[in-house]
Structures are given as structure tokens and as C-alpha cells.
Amino acid sequence: CTMKLALHLPDEAAQLAFGQRFAPWLMGCAGVIFLIGNLGAGKTTLARGILRGLGVSGIVRSPTYTLIEPYIINEWTVYHLDLYRLSDPEELEYLGWRDLLAEGGLLLIEWPERGAAVLPAPELTIEITPDGSGRRVQMSGQGRGTAWLEQLGSGGIADPAPWLC
């Protein structure tokens, strides 16, 4: 079963706030979330909001050059991956991505299309596109991702009304 949801986020602050409000539904979950969008679409901004909502208070860097940034939260780890610089999907094997998932971590993956031949299907896909001065966010979920979107769509996240289309 797949569920879809579309949101409009008027600015960067709304994008961060949305990520923070959505984050509690992800706490402690293992799985994969794809963040899709062109350069400058706001993938890292949304990831930063999610990480802040999960309790990360330090610097949240873009993993453009390191490829993976781990964040340990109460013995659970969120891995933020940026595959933009990946030249071959097989390079993911050298990064040990399967081990990250096997540990029960949550993987937030930017540019997942660069690793499509190797990566599993995500629980949630978030596609971000420019929309005027804001961003249009289209989310589709399967499995546990469907439950996350049902919570969002039913108002399970505080004050969702400004973002729901």
C-alpha cells in the first residue's frame, strides 16, 4: 500500500519547522528515506530540520564531501548520506551502507538515484521542487512510511495546517 501527500512550504524557516515537527515519528526507526530534488532545492535543509527535531543540537553539516555524516541519538543512529559525488553505485559497498542499515539506523539519503542499482526501496520518498519563493514537497510512503504519512495527513503533527495542500 502506498500513500502520497503534497505540502507547500513557503520558506526555509517553514522547511526547517516541518522537518522538526515530522521528526518524532521517525525516532528509533530503522529504514531509508530518499530526499530528491535539484541542487539548491532544500534537501539538506529538510534533513537539518529532521535532525534538529530528533534532538541533534550540534552542527548539522551537508555530507557532500564526506558522503556520510552519522548522528548518535540515545544509542540510535541517523546517517545522513549525500550521494551526489558517487560515480558508481557499487561505491556504496565500500561505504558499508548495508552495515548502517543492519545496525538499525535510519538513513536520510540525498541523490538516491546515484545509488539506485544498489539501494533498497525506501519507506519514504520526499521530493522537493521550487514553488514560487517556497518549496513544494511531495511525499510518498510504503510500509512504515505509509503510517508516517497517515499521521501527518490526520493532523498527528502539531499545526500541520499551514503546510497541507
Side-chain angles (χ1 to χ4, degrees):
C1 180
T2 300
M3 181 173 183
K4 296 184 179 199
L5 188 63
L7 315 152
H8 179 266
L9 302 173
D11 54 28
E12 183 176 337
Q15 212 169 343
L16 287 167
F18 171 72
Q20 289 176 320
R21 289 191 173 118
F22 184 57
W25 297 107
L26 307 175
M27 182 62 79
C29 293
V32 177
I33 296 176
F34 286 175
L35 301 171
I36 298 173
N38 292 331
L39 283 171
K43 298 176 299 294
T44 299
T45 299
L46 185 58
R48 186 173 293 125
I50 290 169
L51 289 161
R52 290 276 182 250
L54 292 171
V56 174
S57 59
I59 295 172
V60 175
R61 293 182 175 90
S62 170
T64 300
Y65 295 103
T66 59
L67 301 181
I68 300 175
E69 287 289 336
Y71 298 91
I72 299 171
I73 305 160
N74 299 326
E75 299 181 26
W76 169 66
T77 307
V78 176
Y79 298 95
H80 184 191
L81 290 79
D82 184 331
L83 306 183
Y84 183 74
R85 295 170 36 106
L86 210 64
S87 58
D88 184 321
E90 293 300 319
E91 289 178 52
L92 282 168
E93 298 301 336
Y94 300 117
L95 295 174
W97 77 272
R98 290 180 200 274
D99 295 333
L100 306 179
L101 199 54
E103 291 172 6
L106 179 68
L107 280 62
L108 301 174
I109 304 177
E110 296 185 35
W111 300 99
E113 59 275 15
R114 304 225 177 193
V118 178
L119 293 171
E123 279 77 23
L124 189 64
T125 298
I126 302 173
E127 186 170 353
I128 306 168
T129 54
D131 186 11
S133 61
R135 298 289 185 262
R136 181 161 182 77
V137 177
Q138 296 183 70
M139 305 170 76
S140 61
Q142 55 189 4
R144 183 178 25 243
T146 299
W148 294 334
L149 293 181
E150 286 172 354
Q151 288 297 321
L152 177 59
S154 70
I157 296 175
D159 303 319
W163 302 296
L164 294 177
C165 296

